[in-house]
């Protein structure tokens, strides 16, 4: 199975900050990498697909980059509603696997 | 706007079978462009893909659960279902269904795509 490792596991930041979350795959996955946001008690919500494509309706302050084994999710200017847990996911090959999550908290 | 809704018992006894159904509305489960997936999340933990099904009945399962899982589809009802047998407390989780975009299905593996949208999730507790 392809292992997905996110860093950091948790992060404290302030409104207006620029934040970057990293996801590393245990082998090359090209750009078969997606990012989800999950708020407490809610289902995950797709933010970025195919490493860098912004899902319709997602604010442009979210962006993704990377290919191969190393990927990043960047939030350019944190808003109060962005405090949540973020997951990366590889769909290069089944079994589909997720990162362990990055919890973004208010400083 | 496509919507998915999970349904089924919220409490299952150990060693019994967990059975859930996902009903798709405002869209057809028979679309050739999508698989339909099940994902679970134990309380306070991360996400685990369980498996996915095509409208034709073709399935892909997580090897970690494959021996206990069956996912099926009923196109007449626009539903797909999950059965997980011989459950233990470790199977306690919120279970989500989701539409799965995909790029390529080889028969051996599935490649590409993402999950969107998701159902709201259903908490299933395994306890006597």
């Amino acid at each position: 199975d392809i292992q997905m490792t996110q860093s950091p596991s948790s992060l404290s930041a302030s409104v207006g900050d620029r934040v970057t979350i990293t996801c590393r795959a245990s082998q090359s996955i090209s750009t078969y990498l997606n990012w989800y946001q999950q708020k407490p008690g809610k289902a995950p919500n797709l933010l970025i697909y195919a490493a860098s494509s912004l899902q319709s309706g997602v604010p442009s302050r979210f962006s993704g980059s990377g290919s191969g084994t190393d990927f990043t999710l960047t939030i350019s200017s944190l808003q109060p509603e962005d405090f949540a847990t973020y997951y990366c996911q590889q769909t290069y090959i089944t079994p589909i696997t997720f990162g362990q999550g990055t919890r973004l908290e208010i400083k | 706007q496509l919507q998915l809704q999970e349904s089924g018992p919220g409490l299952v006894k150990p060693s019994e079978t967990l059975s859930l159904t996902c009903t798709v509305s405002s869209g057809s489960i028979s679309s050739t462009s999508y698989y339909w997936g099940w994902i679970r999340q134990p309380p306070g933990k991360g996400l685990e893909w369980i498996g996915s099904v095509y409208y034709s009945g073709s399935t892909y399962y997580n090897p970690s659960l494959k021996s206990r899982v069956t996912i099926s589809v009923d196109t007449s009802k626009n539903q797909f279902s999950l059965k997980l047998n011989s459950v233990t407390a470790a199977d306690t989780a919120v279970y989500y269904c989701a539409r799965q975009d995909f790029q390529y299905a080889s028969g051996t593996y599935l490649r590409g795509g993402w999950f969107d949208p998701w159902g709201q999730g259903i908490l299933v507790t395994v306890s006597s």
Side-chain angles (χ1 to χ4, degrees):
Chain A
D1 299 2
I2 297 176
Q3 307 302 315
M4 306 301 294
T5 304
Q6 290 180 231
S7 60
S9 294
S10 64
L11 174 61
S12 294
S14 301
V15 172
D17 283 354
R18 180 183 180 89
V19 167
T20 297
I21 299 169
T22 296
C23 180
R24 175 164 288 176
S26 60
Q27 68 181 74
S28 178
I29 58 170
S30 182
T31 56
Y32 293 97
L33 190 284
N34 308 310
W35 290 97
Y36 298 85
Q37 177 194 65
Q38 187 179 33
K39 296 181 178 179
K42 300 294 186 182
N45 181 51
L46 179 68
L47 298 175
I48 302 286
Y49 62 93
S52 60
S53 295
L54 189 68
Q55 173 67 347
S56 176
V58 174
S60 59
R61 63 181 179 272
F62 291 93
S63 64
S65 65
S67 66
T69 60
D70 295 312
F71 302 87
T72 58
L73 172 69
T74 299
I75 310 172
S76 61
S77 178
L78 271 176
Q79 298 302 301
E81 60 269 28
D82 299 338
F83 292 94
T85 300
Y86 293 84
Y87 292 94
C88 63
Q89 173 205 40
Q90 70 80 19
T91 57
Y92 176 73
I93 196 166
T94 45
I96 293 165
T97 49
F98 293 85
Q100 81 279 14
T102 294
R103 186 172 181 176
L104 180 53
E105 300 173 321
I106 301 173
K107 184 183 286 185
Chain B
Q1 181 177 348
L2 188 82
Q3 292 186 319
L4 296 91
Q5 177 72 57
E6 304 89 351
S7 60
L11 181 64
V12 180
K13 290 181 168 56
S15 79
E16 295 189 345
T17 298
L18 179 160
S19 296
L20 297 175
T21 296
C22 182
T23 300
V24 178
S25 57
S26 302
S28 175
I29 203 169
S30 299
S31 169
T32 58
S33 300
Y34 303 105
Y35 269 73
W36 303 88
W38 287 99
I39 306 98
R40 70 179 182 178
Q41 185 173 37
K45 295 188 178 181
L47 300 161
E48 180 181 33
W49 173 70
I50 299 170
S52 301
V53 65
Y54 199 51
Y55 78 96
S56 64
S58 172
T59 53
Y60 294 87
Y61 296 128
N62 192 324
S64 67
L65 296 167
K66 186 174 183 177
S67 64
R68 299 194 290 132
V69 170
T70 303
I71 298 175
S72 58
V73 62
D74 186 337
T75 55
S76 67
K77 295 182 179 178
N78 228 31
Q79 296 175 334
F80 61 108
S81 298
L82 168 70
K83 291 187 185 301
L84 180 66
N85 59 37
S86 304
V87 298
T88 69
D91 296 309
T92 293
V94 176
Y95 286 77
Y96 296 102
C97 60
R99 186 180 69 178
Q100 181 182 353
D101 205 299
F102 75 104
Q103 184 180 77
Y104 177 69
S106 76
T108 304
Y109 64 87
L110 196 55
R111 172 164 291 169
W114 46 86
F115 291 112
D116 182 71
W118 297 55
Q120 65 183 24
I122 183 169
L123 175 62
V124 179
T125 301
V126 178
S127 175
S128 55

